[in-house]
Amino acid sequence: MFHKALWMQNYKQSKMIVWILFVIFIIHLPFQAIVTIENWREAGSVFNNRVSDMYLLFTGGSLPLFGTISIIVLAGLLIGIERNTRRNDFTFSLPFKRRDMFLAKWLFGAMAITLIHLLNFIVTYLMIQTTEFSYVLNDLTLTAILWSPLLGFLLLFSFAMFFGTIAGEMVSQVVLTLIFSIFPFGFIMLLVFFTEVNFGTYLPRLPLEWISNITLVTYVFTLESFNNSSTGDLITGAIIGTVVFFVLGLLLYERNRVEHNGEFLVFKQLHPLFLIGIVICFALFGGMILSSLVPWGMSEFQVIFYWIGFVIFALFSFLITRRLLRMNVTVKNK
């Protein structure tokens, strides 16, 4: 399974984003901890919610968003960029099994994410332990501030690698990963708006907790305000999701058709499904956009504008998606 040549190739393809990820985590954890502690010292006893602030320091803020994007790009550089540059043809000609190639890519990315996160976490934790605010750490568990975020990042990486086996090039891999990371929650919101405008009522008894549990970003941004799942549920879901997407990615990578590299999807069987799904989602989105322009209280005009937006967005999304599915993006490989 361990082939030095494959690991060197993976590092060469993705070393820039790995170091960018390392810098992001340095700013996210050690640097942010220094700033937070100095703020506490200057504020004195004004702050009474230090446990919450400490929890957000390890799990929240805007920097995990940049880390999330970097992890998705990392997966794109490990799989998608090979398809754009046709380097995939050379890789598959090497005397290695496709299974070993995917394992080397997944293990390289997973180990890089784990090492970067663990190293910065340990430095931050020890730094806080040496200050007068070390008692705050006693009210937090390693499960909440270490394992939950880390498993969320590994789940996201496995999800992006899975889409790398479906997508025919890097841009579609990154875009599909981002869209489907929020898809369950976003699609339900579109349906809620549809029923509210057209029938004047909300969907009955929405299983919001269940919806958030199948929305991938929930596991990366473990804010209590975003979902009510416990940390244990998040960890269980992250482990199950990681295993499922890893296995699916491995199986599909062994069946990839190199002749479709550079296209939006490498599996032609998925074209009708994606065409219908994209058109429906954009049509619902278009209806929401145009009906939102109608002043509050003019419900009849809201319905009319909703269906005008629905039809316009459906038509243009159909034409664009059909063209998108036929595209072939290749980049000259130096």
Side-chain angles (χ1 to χ4, degrees):
M1 184 179 72
F2 182 86
H3 302 288
K4 186 179 177 180
L6 292 178
W7 284 69
M8 292 300 294
Q9 183 196 34
N10 292 330
Y11 176 70
K12 186 179 179 182
Q13 284 180 192
S14 58
K15 60 183 177 183
M16 181 180 292
I17 198 67
V18 169
W19 285 107
I20 289 175
L21 192 63
F22 185 66
V23 172
I24 288 174
F25 271 83
I26 288 177
I27 299 172
H28 169 46
L29 290 174
F31 182 75
Q32 196 177 199
I34 292 171
V35 173
T36 301
I37 289 169
E38 286 303 316
N39 284 338
W40 286 353
R41 284 172 177 160
E42 292 181 10
S45 59
V46 173
F47 283 107
N48 294 317
N49 55 347
R50 286 183 178 138
V51 175
S52 176
D53 288 348
M54 187 70 78
Y55 176 72
L56 289 176
L57 187 153
F58 284 102
T59 63
S62 59
L63 285 166
L65 175 63
F66 296 104
T68 297
I69 295 171
S70 299
I71 287 171
I72 294 173
V73 173
L74 171 62
L77 289 174
L78 287 171
I79 293 186
I81 196 70
E82 283 192 341
R83 301 189 191 281
N84 285 109
T85 59
R86 294 289 192 268
R87 200 184 303 145
N88 191 236
D89 299 352
F90 166 74
T91 304
F92 280 176
S93 69
L94 296 174
F96 304 117
K97 296 179 180 176
R98 290 192 182 188
R99 175 184 294 262
D100 291 347
M101 293 177 188
F102 185 82
L103 279 172
K105 292 178 185 298
W106 188 88
L107 283 174
F108 175 81
M111 286 179 63
I113 294 167
T114 303
L115 289 174
I116 289 171
H117 189 270
L118 279 180
L119 179 63
N120 285 287
F121 176 86
I122 291 170
V123 170
T124 306
Y125 195 89
L126 293 177
M127 189 188 302
I128 296 171
Q129 277 287 13
T130 60
T131 69
E132 64 273 30
F133 302 107
S134 60
Y135 68 93
V136 183
L137 292 172
N138 297 331
D139 293 325
L140 296 169
T141 63
L142 287 179
T143 303
I145 61 176
L146 171 60
W147 300 118
S148 179
L150 176 58
L151 290 173
F153 288 129
L154 292 178
L155 170 61
L156 174 72
F157 175 71
S158 302
F159 189 66
M161 291 291 285
F162 161 70
F163 270 103
T165 61
I166 295 176
E169 49 93 32
M170 182 178 169
V171 175
S172 59
Q173 179 187 356
V174 171
V175 171
L176 289 175
T177 303
L178 289 171
I179 290 174
F180 281 92
S181 295
I182 60 171
F183 179 76
F185 194 79
F187 188 67
I188 289 297
M189 291 300 102
L190 291 174
L191 287 181
V192 167
F193 199 88
F194 172 80
T195 57
E196 183 186 357
V197 171
N198 291 281
F199 304 107
T201 180
Y202 291 101
L203 289 175
R205 294 189 178 182
L206 280 174
L208 290 177
E209 188 173 347
W210 182 77
I211 294 168
S212 68
N213 284 342
I214 61 170
T215 304
L216 193 128
V217 292
T218 302
Y219 297 91
V220 180
F221 304 100
T222 55
L223 298 179
E224 291 296 328
S225 59
F226 184 71
N227 73 90
N228 296 318
S229 299
S230 66
T231 305
D233 291 338
L234 287 171
I235 287 181
T236 304
I239 293 173
I240 293 173
T242 301
V243 173
V244 168
F245 289 122
F246 168 75
V247 172
L248 287 175
L250 182 63
L251 294 174
L252 291 173
Y253 195 78
E254 291 181 307
R255 292 161 176 75
N256 274 183
R257 297 281 188 85
V258 293
E259 61 267 32
H260 298 311
N261 283 349
E263 298 180 14
F264 189 77
L265 297 170
V266 290
F267 294 100
K268 295 287 187 183
Q269 305 91 320
L270 294 174
H271 280 195
L273 178 65
F274 272 77
L275 178 63
I276 295 170
I278 292 172
V279 170
I280 290 175
C281 288
F282 271 94
L284 291 170
F285 183 66
M288 185 176 74
I289 294 293
L290 254 68
S291 64
S292 300
L293 301 176
V294 179
W296 178 258
M298 302 176 70
S299 54
E300 293 83 4
F301 282 102
Q302 266 194 325
V303 174
I304 294 172
F305 271 70
Y306 185 93
W307 285 104
I308 291 174
F310 187 96
V311 171
I312 291 174
F313 273 64
L315 177 62
F316 281 104
S317 61
F318 173 76
L319 296 174
I320 294 171
T321 305
R322 200 172 59 168
R323 191 179 183 87
L324 200 65
L325 292 173
R326 291 202 299 256
M327 75 174 187
N328 194 318
V329 180
T330 56
V331 179
K332 188 176 180 181
N333 189 17
K334 295 181 180 179

